[in-house]
Amino acid sequence: MIVAHRLAERGRARGLAFIIGASIDFVTGKQRRAPRWMQRIGFEWLYRLLSNPRRLARRYLIRGPKFLAYVGRSKVAWKAARPGTG
């Protein structure tokens, strides 16, 4: 969401995208959220990975680090979202 906001601020955003991740699955009950303690320490991704490794292993363990390396080399400014701000 931060990346989309930054692109919009810079006037470089084109088109429409919904950045909702697994929100719909959580709302509909298709997937369960991680226990609160895992959510608090930022390990909900690990809970999801262990719950569905076949689907998420490539995304979280291979594509994720590649994406983070790309972002680290790019000029995109990252700012951690405060709880309750989106």
Side-chain angles (χ1 to χ4, degrees), residues 37-66:
W37 68 269
M38 290 186 93
Q39 292 177 37
R40 270 195 313 275
I41 64 172
F43 273 37
E44 186 156 11
W45 68 270
L46 180 60
Y47 176 84
R48 293 187 64 216
L49 174 62
L50 296 173
S51 299
N52 197 345
R54 179 172 286 207
R55 184 172 73 87
L56 298 174
R58 181 170 171 78
R59 179 184 307 172
Y60 287 0
L61 302 176
I62 297 172
R63 287 184 6 215
K66 286 181 182 178

